[in-house]
């Protein structure tokens, strides 16, 4: 790779990191701006955070790591070669998602009450590393899980259990049949009429951290990207400028 190309890559990568860093910094600020409240203090039709322990009356086994969990998200990916003669090690290709499956729901308990969370793919923002299993050199499964008793935080607008049941009847529910039956039973019991439920577009973020940890980690990753991106962009610009000057014709001496 010649110096011009290397400088352009540095500059471009640095600028991308700066854009992502700015976006994450804005998101960290937005997270801190949303109140984290006790479940008993949740207000209807308002965006709020809750933090508590995940709990499910139904235990299941995750498909990749074989862990007992309350929720898992599994993705199957295949490596697509750009050319028939390319090899995975050469980097000529990419991993493409061919199927996915999210499964489970759980209650969140804090010292004041209980809420119900039905996760979706777009809301997942987990800090723990994914678990990956290679079925073959060109096929792998990637898994994310939430464990029984794990600390979680959910951001969204809570709705009532009756709204959740209507949602499940319309879209179906990727959960154990025993848990589905429990939700249907609770919906008929007036004692659970006020149970706050986070699901569908009413669940914006689901993290495996406390609200404080989640906001702090988002801010730290933003700061790192801004610092690294700024350094890379400056280095790339300096290298391009240096190579450009070198390419200019030398003036004849007087």
């Amino acid at each position: 790779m010649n110096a011009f190309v290397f400088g352009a890559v540095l500059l471009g990568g640095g600028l991308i990191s700066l854009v992502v860093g700015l976006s994450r910094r804005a998101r960290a600020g937005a997270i801190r701006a949303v109140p984290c409240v006790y479940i008993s203090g949740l207000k209807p039709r308002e965006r709020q955070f809750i933090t508590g322990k995940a709990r499910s009356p139904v235990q299941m086994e995750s498909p990749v790591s074989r862990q007992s969990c309350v929720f898992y998200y599994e993705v199957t990916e295949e490596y697509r070669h750009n050319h028939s003669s390319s090899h995975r090690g050469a980097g000529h290709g990419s991993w493409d998602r061919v199927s996915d499956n999210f499964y489970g729901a759980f209650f969140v308990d804090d010292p004041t009450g209980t809420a119900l969370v039905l996760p979706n793919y777009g809301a997942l923002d987990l800090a723990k590393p994914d678990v990956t299993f290679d079925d073959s050199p060109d096929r792998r499964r990637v898994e994310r899980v939430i464990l029984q008793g794990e600390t979680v935080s959910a951001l969204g607008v809570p709705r009532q259990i009756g709204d959740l049941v209507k949602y499940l009847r319309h879209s179906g529910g990727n959960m154990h049949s025993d848990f589905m039956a429990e939700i249907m039973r609770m919906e008929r019991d007036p004692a659970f009429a006020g149970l706050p439920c986070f699901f569908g577009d009413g669940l914006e973020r689901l993290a495996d951290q406390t609200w404080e940890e989640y906001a702090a980690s988002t801010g730290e990753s933003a700061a790192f990207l801004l610092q690294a991106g700024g350094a890379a962009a400056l280095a790339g610009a300096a290298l391009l400028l240096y190579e450009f000057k070198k390419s200019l014709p030398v003036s004849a001496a007087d």
Side-chain angles (χ1 to χ4, degrees):
M1 182 183 296
N2 63 45
F4 267 117
V5 174
F6 183 62
V9 169
L10 271 179
L11 178 60
L15 291 175
I16 291 172
S17 294
L18 284 172
V19 171
V20 175
L22 289 170
S23 174
R24 289 195 181 180
R25 186 170 68 179
R27 190 173 74 176
I31 289 171
R32 292 192 176 279
V34 178
C36 183
V37 302
Y38 282 122
I39 290 172
S40 63
L42 283 168
K43 298 178 181 178
R45 296 183 297 279
E46 288 190 17
R47 295 174 71 240
Q48 298 142 99
F49 262 107
I50 59 169
T51 291
K53 301 290 186 179
R55 170 181 60 87
S56 172
V58 178
Q59 290 294 289
M60 56 191 178
E61 187 178 80
S62 64
V64 177
S65 62
R66 302 300 180 188
Q67 297 182 82
S68 179
C69 63
V70 300
F71 168 82
Y72 68 78
Y73 175 68
E74 179 193 21
V75 181
T76 300
E77 298 177 331
E78 290 184 353
Y79 193 79
R80 308 293 191 187
H81 297 285
N82 290 340
H83 304 287
S84 59
S85 60
S86 298
H87 298 287
R88 174 179 167 184
H92 299 293
S94 62
W95 286 102
D96 294 338
R97 183 172 64 187
V98 295
S99 67
D100 59 9
N101 179 34
F102 57 93
Y103 193 83
F106 51 87
F107 299 105
V108 176
D109 300 322
D110 75 6
T112 70
T114 298
L116 195 154
V117 173
L118 177 63
N120 59 72
Y121 168 71
L124 288 182
D125 201 355
L126 306 185
K128 72 170 72 68
D130 298 341
V131 176
T132 302
F133 178 80
D134 291 331
D135 291 322
S136 71
D138 293 327
R139 186 179 179 88
R140 69 184 183 187
R141 288 180 292 150
V142 182
E143 176 188 273
R144 302 171 185 173
V145 299
I146 293 176
L147 307 177
Q148 181 88 320
E150 186 170 14
T151 296
V152 296
S153 293
L155 165 64
V157 178
R159 287 179 275 181
Q160 295 182 335
I161 192 169
D163 298 319
L164 173 61
V165 170
K166 291 177 183 177
Y167 173 83
L168 292 174
R169 285 173 175 160
H170 180 264
S171 62
N174 294 326
M175 68 179 73
H176 195 282
S177 58
D178 289 347
F179 201 120
M180 179 75 79
E182 177 67 7
I183 291 175
M184 297 301 176
R185 182 195 68 79
M186 293 170 68
E187 193 266 338
R188 295 190 297 269
D189 187 341
F192 296 100
L195 178 72
C197 302
F198 293 84
F199 62 93
D201 57 8
L203 177 63
E204 297 179 38
R205 287 285 182 272
L206 179 61
D208 53 352
Q209 299 171 292
T210 65
W211 174 82
E212 293 86 354
E213 292 169 340
Y214 182 50
S217 64
T218 305
E220 289 168 2
S221 66
F224 173 79
L225 286 170
L226 289 171
Q227 292 170 3
L234 285 173
L239 181 57
L240 286 174
L241 181 60
Y242 174 75
E243 291 298 321
F244 177 73
K245 287 183 176 179
K246 277 176 55 178
S247 67
L248 293 176
V250 179
S251 301
D254 292 335

